Amino acid sequence: GATALVNPLTVELFLLECEKGHHKVVVHNAAASALGLQLIAAARAKGITVINLVRRAENVATVKAEGAEFAIDTTAADWEDQFRALAAAHNPTAYFDPVGGAAGSKVLSLMPDGSTTFCYGVLGESISYTVPAGEVLFQEKVLRGLWVTKALQNPETAATLVANALSNLASKVYQTTIYKKYPVSQFEAALKDYKANASKGKILLVPSV
């Protein structure tokens, strides 16, 4: 599933883009997700700094417990000021965004000139970005899609991503917390629990016995 396959491959795609684009400091939204925690570990191993954006105050502690150096709660009144200060000090050049919409657009607007925003999901209420023309023309910002399914269609890229993901899985760089298990018959309860506690880990559906 996503824990053992899609998430590690997606993180490896991020790292490949960092290598190609010479990105040493990046921003990641929804950073307390299982994928976000895997990115923290994998980026640290590659010497890449991640500025982690989370959507709950308690998730700052969650990502820092996984080794994150920087974490910002985007529900805090001063989160934009916090972000500007970190951006000025560390100059992130890439933003990996699974949210889109108004939230994704806001972070894009705060990114430094010349940066690239990689959209790899649309978790937000709106799927549309709002990007003023001036940010593209004068600040030379780039918005592009990054879809692991598309990347895997290239045999050379696929081989690299799979090999690196398997290596990191074997060495336990990639790990996932299992929050709870539910029988398949309690699917609706499991879904409700996951929506309320997504950052606590994955919920597994297991066959009823």
Side-chain angles (χ1 to χ4, degrees):
T3 296
L5 183 62
V6 178
N7 286 351
L9 289 173
T10 302
V11 171
E12 291 298 337
L13 182 57
F14 294 173
L15 297 179
L16 185 61
E17 289 295 337
C18 286
E19 181 180 345
K20 292 192 296 185
H22 305 288
H23 303 299
K24 297 298 183 183
V25 182
V26 304
V27 176
H28 186 225
N29 209 342
S33 64
L35 186 151
L37 300 182
Q38 290 179 349
L39 176 60
I40 291 168
R44 183 171 63 246
K46 290 284 188 179
I48 297 169
T49 299
V50 182
I51 297 174
N52 299 274
L53 305 181
V54 298
R55 293 174 287 181
R56 294 180 182 178
E58 61 267 29
N59 287 345
V60 170
T62 298
V63 298
K64 288 197 170 183
E66 294 296 323
E69 183 177 0
F70 303 115
I72 299 174
D73 168 22
T74 57
T75 67
D78 66 340
W79 82 267
E80 292 181 32
D81 291 334
Q82 293 182 53
F83 186 94
R84 290 188 184 94
L86 284 178
H90 300 282
N91 191 37
T93 55
Y95 166 39
F96 295 104
D97 180 34
V99 180
S105 299
K106 170 55 69 174
V107 179
L108 190 159
S109 74
L110 296 172
M111 288 291 292
D113 292 4
S115 58
T116 299
T117 292
F118 296 92
C119 172
Y120 74 96
V122 283
L123 297 175
E125 294 181 1
S126 169
I127 63 173
S128 300
Y129 284 89
T130 302
V131 185
E135 293 192 22
V136 177
L137 178 60
F138 303 118
Q139 298 179 32
E140 298 183 319
K141 295 181 181 180
V142 175
L143 171 62
R144 54 164 289 198
L146 192 63
W147 188 28
V148 70
T149 301
K150 180 72 172 178
L152 290 171
Q153 293 175 8
N154 180 302
E156 183 178 348
T157 300
T160 298
L161 297 183
V162 170
N164 291 344
L166 290 175
S167 176
N168 279 331
L169 283 166
S171 62
K172 299 189 183 300
V173 170
Y174 295 140
Q175 299 188 58
T176 298
T177 299
I178 303 302
Y179 168 53
K180 280 185 183 178
K181 296 181 181 180
Y182 280 86
V184 174
S185 60
Q186 295 182 26
F187 169 78
E188 292 184 358
L191 183 59
K192 182 178 180 180
D193 195 353
Y194 180 71
K195 287 181 177 179
N197 300 286
S199 62
K200 293 183 179 179
K202 293 295 184 182
I203 288 179
L204 296 184
L205 293 175
V206 298
S208 301
V209 295

